[in-house]
Amino acid sequence: MLESYLTLKPEFEIVMMEPQDCHEVSVLHAERFPRAWNDGEFHSLLSQEPVFGFVARQTNAFLRKPLPGFVLARHAAGEGEILTIAVQPKLARTGLGWRLMQAALREAQARGGETMFLEVDGGNAPALGLYRKLGFEKVGERKAYYADDKGAKSTALVMRRVLR
């Protein structure tokens, strides 16, 4: 019981991703994906006009902690695309992924987006659950698209959500 008084429930703000965030973003990406993007790749993407992203920052932490989560997306010609999203494993099912996705969806819509696309590993049940709750529907498949760190191949599902 005393432990609950000593443990703060984390609180987060979602802010636009800036170039100085790219290193932290790449570290989290490497923890969550077998083919990690480095900070140079994130910086290169973020420097492109149609690309935007958001990071989550814990607002009630006494010490600087690892980046809780991020989302990177792009918008062009009325279509948005989630390029990648990651949340710290210990923060799974806390609503942080939902909040990051909502920020990206709102930004794409504000830029004139009518639809948002993403690709997800067909075996990633938690991500599929989140995307379906957000209104995404499967519109295609790419067989043997993803490879894990052991070389096993899995299907990518292409999903779409109408924004307007």
Side-chain angles (χ1 to χ4, degrees), residues 63-97:
L63 302 173
R64 185 159 174 93
K65 295 185 174 195
L67 185 72
F70 73 89
V71 62
L72 188 69
R74 75 173 140 217
H75 170 263
E79 291 183 358
E81 177 186 11
I82 300 295
L83 300 173
T84 188
I85 180 172
V87 172
Q88 288 286 344
K90 66 183 179 184
L91 297 171
R93 300 197 174 274
T94 64
L96 190 55

Side-chain angles (χ1 to χ4, degrees), residues 85-151:
I85 180 172
V87 172
Q88 288 286 344
K90 66 183 179 184
L91 297 171
R93 300 197 174 274
T94 64
L96 190 55
W98 174 275
R99 291 181 59 200
L100 287 162
M101 286 293 294
Q102 288 288 354
L105 293 167
R106 279 192 303 274
E107 181 66 19
Q109 190 171 21
R111 291 175 179 226
E114 296 179 13
T115 56
M116 180 68 89
F117 289 88
L118 60 81
E119 292 173 352
V120 60
D121 187 318
N124 188 341
L128 284 169
L130 171 63
Y131 301 146
R132 286 184 180 126
K133 285 180 187 174
L134 286 163
F136 282 86
E137 296 178 349
K138 180 182 144 191
V139 294
E141 288 186 8
R142 293 189 170 113
K143 302 276 187 204
Y145 185 77
Y146 291 115
D148 67 16
D149 52 359
K150 294 181 179 77

